[in-house]
Amino acid sequence: MYRTHTNGELRIGDTGKEVVLSGWVQSGRDFGGLTFVDLRDRYGITQLVFSMDENPELCSLARTLGREYVVRVTGIVRERSNKNPNRATGDIEIDVREMTILNASKTPPFTIENESDGGDDIRMKYRYLDIRRDPVKENIIFRSKCGIETRKYLDGQGFIEIETPFLIKSTPEGARDFVVPSRMNPGQFYALPQSPQTFKQLLMVAGMDKYFQIVKCFRDEDLRADRQPEFTQIDCEMAFITREDILNTFEGLTKHLFKSLLDVELGDFPRMSYDEALEKFGSDKPDLRFDMQFTYLTDIAKGRDFSVFDTAETIVGICAQGQADNMSNKDIKTLTEWMQRPQIGAKGVIYVKFEHDGTIRSSVGKFFDDAALLEWKARFGAQDGDVLFVLAGETEKTRKQLSELRLEMGRRMGLMKPGEFKPLWVLDFPLLEWDEEAQRFFAMHHPFTSPKKEYVDQMKSGDFETLKRLKADAYDLVINGNEIGGGSIRIHDRDLQSKNFDLLGFTKEEAQEQFGFLMGAFEFGAPPHGGIAFGFDRLCAVMNNQTSIRDFIAFPKNNQGRDVMIDAPSKIDDAQLDELHLRLKG
Ligand code: ASP
């Protein structure tokens, strides 16, 4: 027998019992005649004691144990004289009578502690050791629970879990596909799904009514810190529903997950249109843990010979409440430089400081007298002690830059409180996005998204400007400034779908070649339908106030898309290449 209990289980009430424990050696300490060993497993740590006086042989053996050795011990539970209140098993220890070394271990390349001395690369290379650490282990356990609660909730709502294939034909979601060569079909390739989008729609045509899947998706994108080439979605689709049904169902799921996993009650989720989000926060995923909404000065700040303003499409700012004392000129200078980095690209930042004694200091004093700046103050609803930051330029760019500044100020001012959760539905996204470089429209969500009903006619016959303004029946769930999920009501009419492909620049033949199967299905009684997908890794990270999804994935890839543990991707040999018809024969 390897164990009667786990290492997280024994309490003072177990005193006197003979127990068997197995686990890894976390650490050992020798004190004169006594040796203490901390034994660890997934459930916790239990202290073992060996006595030189009572059992010199066993105690000597204990002194040979290295970190991460795997051992089994038999012993008697006894009360500790020196209790450890920080540990669940801290009231007891095991007086060891027998021990077997089940396996030795090399010294691990980094410490298996909550705060490890190992850098990212080394921890990824030895991910199996990294997972022994509490923070990573807890994340993986949380993820498991989150998946189980998701299944429970959706099952309770009548959803059916259906697997869809991984070896498919490309589904455009705006990223590149990973492709897999077909040995049996020379020169042909499967694509790994960027999402099960077309399949879940076909399942609606098939009458499955409510589908879900916790599913891997694959996107060959350039990786940023919070992206992975393979990631997981909670993917759903429903038939005979309106947007309202979807929002309610998935608001319900989100509330259930927060309640069951974190004991957090989320109130009803506010809603905001895409246009409003951009106007007030410069972002389609605003962090609502703090307000700091945009205030526009475009109508009152022109005509004072300040060319930056006079030539600007938009003049807009934020008010950092109570920051006049906290922000020295040097701070403002560093902040401006931060805004001028190429990642953000602001030309400059104009500030107005309203000191507590009524003095006004600003970077535009040459052009604006106190009376003018007091007009700004009133517009912002600012108080003495506040600082205004104002940007000017082309509307879209300027809003985006100011959004970055808003977030930075939110961080600096400690307004993004961990443990506080502010969900938001963002609605009515544009249907099409014009790409100047490619000189064509792209689907903002994906090509299967329906325009809102009132825009269908304009979509069928509108001119270029009208097309740019079409609104989609698409929605995103945002929590604390993170996009948690997105979805849409779909087109279920063959002709409208065909029109959409047309607008997206597909020829009839291309559309038929790539999506004939879907449009064909629409001719066999496709019900009205719609759906949504949550980024599962991201949801787990946000629920735990963490910024990286990587530590919620057992075996993630690094920023170069590599798995450094198994060393993938890697070369394959010529025979394999030949078999896959991938080698040019000379
Ligand atoms: N397939 C979409 C996505 O991956 C989600 C959806 O429209 O349901 O973003």
Side-chain angles (χ1 to χ4, degrees):
M1 195 207 305
Y2 285 113
R3 54 188 177 189
T4 53
H5 296 78
T6 70
N7 289 312
E9 206 176 337
L10 295 167
R11 299 288 182 272
I12 195 82
D14 296 304
T15 310
K17 282 187 190 157
E18 185 180 87
V19 297
V20 184
L21 299 179
S22 289
W24 288 264
V25 172
Q26 170 82 21
S27 60
R29 298 172 305 281
D30 300 327
F31 285 115
L34 293 177
T35 289
F36 297 93
V37 169
D38 280 346
L39 194 65
R40 183 193 68 236
D41 62 14
R42 195 185 102 195
Y43 310 92
I45 292 179
T46 299
Q47 174 165 294
L48 312 178
V49 197
F50 300 81
S51 159
M52 212 34 123
D53 286 347
E54 280 162 35
N55 197 335
E57 214 173 300
L58 193 59
C59 192
S60 306
L61 184 61
R63 289 183 177 187
T64 68
L65 295 174
R67 280 197 281 142
E68 302 307 312
Y69 271 50
V70 184
V71 300
R72 175 184 54 200
V73 296
T74 305
I76 309 295
V77 181
R78 70 179 190 210
E79 185 172 357
R80 264 166 84 159
S81 52
N82 205 348
K83 296 194 172 51
N84 180 351
N86 300 321
R87 201 178 268 177
T89 61
D91 287 352
I92 57 99
E93 61 193 7
I94 309 298
D95 177 8
V96 178
R97 304 291 161 87
E98 274 171 51
M99 176 167 70
T100 317
I101 297 178
L102 299 172
N103 214 339
S105 170
K106 293 211 272 184
T107 304
F110 50 86
T111 53
I112 313 285
E113 305 273 354
N114 290 0
E115 300 287 336
S116 174
D117 60 359
D120 244 23
D121 288 350
I122 192 88
R123 288 193 294 108
M124 288 303 150
K125 177 149 191 222
Y126 298 92
R127 184 64 163 172
Y128 46 88
L129 298 179
D130 200 26
I131 295 175
R132 287 184 191 167
R133 297 167 55 238
D134 275 347
V136 187
K137 179 192 80 190
E138 294 303 334
N139 288 352
I140 305 286
I141 294 172
F142 180 90
R143 180 188 177 102
S144 162
K145 289 190 180 140
C146 195
I148 288 165
E149 287 302 331
T150 300
R151 288 198 164 90
K152 269 200 223 160
Y153 181 83
L154 292 175
D155 177 53
Q157 299 286 319
F159 282 78
I160 299 178
E161 185 169 15
I162 306 174
E163 287 170 279
T164 50
F166 278 173
L167 297 177
I168 66 164
K169 183 167 160 145
S170 157
T171 309
E173 301 265 357
R176 265 178 235 105
D177 288 319
F178 282 101
V179 295
V180 180
S182 166
R183 179 183 56 81
M184 288 191 283
N185 302 274
Q188 298 190 348
F189 297 80
Y190 301 99
L192 299 180
Q194 295 187 29
S195 88
Q197 186 60 35
T198 50
F199 287 97
K200 64 176 174 172
Q201 292 191 241
L202 292 170
L203 287 169
M204 295 304 104
V205 181
M208 293 315 287
D209 203 58
K210 289 176 167 185
Y211 141 95
F212 90 101
Q213 186 177 191
I214 300 182
V215 63
K216 274 287 174 72
C217 300
F218 306 86
R219 298 185 188 177
D220 189 3
E221 296 175 287
D222 296 330
L223 300 178
R224 282 183 259 130
D226 60 344
R227 289 270 171 94
Q228 284 281 312
E230 51 179 303
F231 61 97
T232 304
Q233 287 188 341
I234 305 172
D235 190 49
C236 305
E237 197 76 4
M238 302 166 84
F240 302 114
I241 41 78
T242 59
R243 176 181 85 183
E244 210 48 38
D245 299 303
I246 303 229
L247 298 191
N248 288 336
T249 306
F250 292 92
E251 186 163 322
L253 169 64
T254 311
K255 286 178 180 169
H256 172 76
L257 294 177
F258 273 82
K259 180 69 194 157
S260 57
L261 299 170
L262 301 176
D263 200 23
V264 167
E265 303 264 3
L266 297 177
D268 287 342
F269 298 5
R271 298 174 180 195
M272 194 181 284
S273 73
Y274 171 87
D275 287 345
E276 186 183 350
L278 284 187
E279 187 189 314
K280 292 186 171 161
F281 300 99
S283 163
D284 61 2
K285 46 179 174 137
D287 189 335
L288 293 192
R289 278 175 297 179
F290 62 104
D291 196 35
M292 217 187 277
Q293 288 186 30
F294 289 9
T295 299
Y296 289 80
L297 297 175
T298 321
D299 57 326
I300 57 171
K302 288 194 179 212
R304 292 206 171 229
D305 288 340
F306 183 39
S307 68
V308 174
F309 280 4
D310 288 349
T311 56
E313 186 185 358
T314 291
I315 306 168
V316 58
I318 49 171
C319 173
Q321 287 177 353
Q323 291 305 296
D325 294 340
N326 295 343
M327 299 209 60
S328 65
N329 287 350
K330 192 161 157 257
D331 292 334
I332 292 179
K333 189 162 165 260
T334 348
L335 187 65
T336 306
E337 283 161 6
W338 184 84
M339 287 290 291
Q340 287 169 327
R341 290 170 315 144
Q343 294 94 308
I344 299 184
K347 289 215 184 72
V349 178
I350 284 132
Y351 74 88
V352 186
K353 237 185 192 187
F354 298 103
E355 304 284 5
H356 286 286
D357 62 5
T359 325
I360 306 177
R361 289 179 214 289
S362 89
S363 52
V364 287
K366 260 210 284 189
F367 307 100
F368 296 89
D369 53 20
D370 279 8
L373 296 176
L374 285 171
E375 197 187 348
W376 293 18
K377 188 181 180 195
R379 172 75 59 97
F380 275 88
Q383 309 289 323
D384 287 340
D386 294 351
V387 184
L388 309 183
F389 294 107
V390 178
L391 301 182
E394 192 257 317
T395 306
E396 205 181 312
K397 259 198 214 151
T398 308
R399 282 176 172 174
K400 222 185 238 160
Q401 293 163 353
L402 190 61
S403 160
E404 295 293 336
L405 183 59
R406 175 180 175 271
L407 292 175
E408 177 62 14
M409 289 312 296
R411 270 188 288 272
R412 285 179 183 225
M413 292 163 68
L415 301 174
M416 294 163 160
K417 294 201 189 71
E420 189 183 354
F421 297 102
K422 291 287 181 198
L424 169 73
W425 286 112
V426 179
L427 310 173
D428 302 343
F429 281 78
L431 184 71
L432 303 168
E433 245 181 325
W434 179 254
D435 186 305
E436 215 26 78
E437 215 170 290
Q439 285 291 303
R440 55 159 281 206
F441 280 117
F442 281 89
M444 185 132 187
H445 186 48
H446 54 54
F448 316 107
T449 295
S450 172
K452 294 185 67 137
K453 264 207 187 74
E454 56 272 34
Y455 288 87
V456 172
D457 287 341
Q458 295 178 33
M459 175 176 166
K460 285 183 177 157
S461 59
D463 58 12
F464 179 66
E465 286 306 317
T466 312
L467 291 174
K468 279 211 274 193
R469 284 195 299 270
L470 296 178
K471 294 286 184 229
D473 219 341
Y475 31 78
D476 272 1
L477 175 64
V478 175
I479 300 178
N480 294 359
N482 299 280
E483 184 192 328
I484 296 298
S488 59
I489 299 297
R490 326 295 185 192
I491 297 172
H492 65 280
D493 172 81
R494 187 198 159 107
D495 293 340
L496 197 62
Q497 185 63 66
S498 173
K499 173 73 192 172
N500 206 26
F501 285 133
D502 195 29
L503 293 175
L504 295 171
F506 288 79
T507 64
K508 284 263 170 308
E509 293 69 37
E510 284 167 346
Q512 186 55 35
E513 217 258 313
Q514 286 187 47
F515 301 108
F517 66 95
L518 185 70
M519 291 192 289
F522 285 176
E523 292 175 31
F524 289 97
H529 61 286
I532 193 167
F534 280 10
F536 185 56
D537 319 279
R538 180 83 47 88
L539 176 64
C540 289
V542 168
M543 288 181 82
N544 288 282
N545 307 304
Q546 294 186 29
T547 46
S548 166
I549 64 172
R550 244 190 350 185
D551 278 341
F552 287 85
I553 298 175
F555 299 105
K557 308 265 187 292
N558 74 5
N559 282 348
Q560 279 75 49
R562 297 199 69 81
D563 182 323
V564 292
M565 181 181 68
I566 60 172
D567 194 23
S570 59
K571 295 219 166 76
I572 55 176
D573 62 32
D574 288 350
Q576 227 174 336
L577 284 173
D578 285 340
E579 205 169 52
L580 295 168
H581 321 283
L582 289 178
R583 208 150 61 112
L584 292 178
K585 306 227 165 67

